[in-house]
Amino acid sequence: MGAAAALRELMRDPEYRKRYEAFKTNVRELDPRDPKLLDMELLPDPDEVRVRVYETDSIHKSMSALRQGSIVVVADQDFHTVEASFKEAFFTHTSTSPNLQIIASIDLARRQMELEGYELVGRATQLAIETRREINTPPVDQQVLSVPRRRPR
C-alpha cells in the first residue's frame, strides 16, 4: 500500500511530468518494433495511469485473529467500476463452511434427482436384487457369503 501511495504521489509531481514529456518526445521518434525500446526505462503517462493495488494479509499470523483470518486491502482508483464483481468473487472463494462450490454441487444433484430420481432409484434397486440372487445361487459357498432375503427386525 505504501508503493501505491508513492506511485500516486509520483504521478502528481511536476518534475515527473517534465521527465515524461521528454520521454514522450524521444519515444515518438522510435518505431514501436525498435529493439531499443526493450532497453529503455519506460514511463507511464501521468494523465492516463491508474493505480490499482490489491493486497492480501494473513492477519492470523500477526494479529489477534482466528486461524486462517485474512484481509484484502484495496487501493484501486477504479474500484467503483469493479466493486460488484470483486465482491461476488470474494464471497465465492472466501467461505469454507459451507463452501459455495459444495452448495452448487448439492443443488445440481437435487436437480438431477428431480429429473432422473425414480429411474436411478429403480435401477439401483434392480441391481441390488440381481446381485443378491447371484450371490445366493450355488455354487457360491453359502457358509462364506450370503445375503438375507429380508432385513432382520
Side-chain angles (χ1 to χ4, degrees):
M1 291 299 117
L7 284 171
R8 283 193 301 269
E9 188 176 318
L10 177 66
M11 294 303 119
R12 289 190 298 262
D13 184 355
E15 290 301 315
Y16 176 81
R17 186 169 292 282
K18 288 178 188 174
R19 278 183 58 214
Y20 174 73
E21 292 301 328
F23 164 78
K24 189 166 75 170
T25 302
N26 289 337
V27 171
R28 192 176 296 145
E29 298 168 4
L30 291 175
D31 181 343
R33 294 177 300 241
D34 190 327
K36 288 181 190 175
L37 284 173
L38 295 173
D39 296 323
M40 291 178 66
E41 178 187 11
L42 304 177
L43 301 177
D45 182 342
D47 295 325
E48 298 291 325
V49 72
R50 309 303 292 159
V51 179
R52 304 184 74 188
V53 178
Y54 293 72
E55 172 202 1
T56 60
D57 285 313
S58 298
I59 58 174
H60 67 278
K61 295 176 184 169
S62 60
M63 300 172 75
S64 297
L66 294 173
R67 182 172 165 80
Q68 299 303 316
S70 298
I71 58 174
V72 178
V73 182
V74 178
D76 183 351
Q77 291 175 272
D78 298 327
F79 188 68
H80 64 281
T81 65
V82 297
E83 185 174 3
S85 57
F86 173 83
K87 285 181 177 178
E88 182 179 344
F90 176 80
F91 290 126
T92 298
H93 297 288
T94 56
S95 176
T96 57
S97 181
N99 187 302
L100 186 62
Q101 290 86 349
I102 293 171
I103 292 171
S105 69
I106 291 169
D107 192 42
L108 184 64
R110 181 205 55 80
R111 180 70 172 141
Q112 181 182 14
M113 289 308 291
E114 183 179 312
L115 295 172
E116 307 171 29
Y118 287 111
E119 181 183 336
L120 292 172
V121 170
R123 181 70 181 133
T125 302
Q126 184 61 38
L127 288 171
I129 291 169
E130 290 173 15
T131 301
R132 181 175 63 194
R133 186 179 306 124
E134 288 297 317
I135 290 172
N136 286 336
T137 302
V140 174
D141 187 348
Q142 297 293 319
Q143 292 177 356
V144 176
L145 183 63
S146 67
V147 177
R149 293 203 184 276
R150 283 185 277 176
R151 286 185 280 180
R153 293 183 189 233

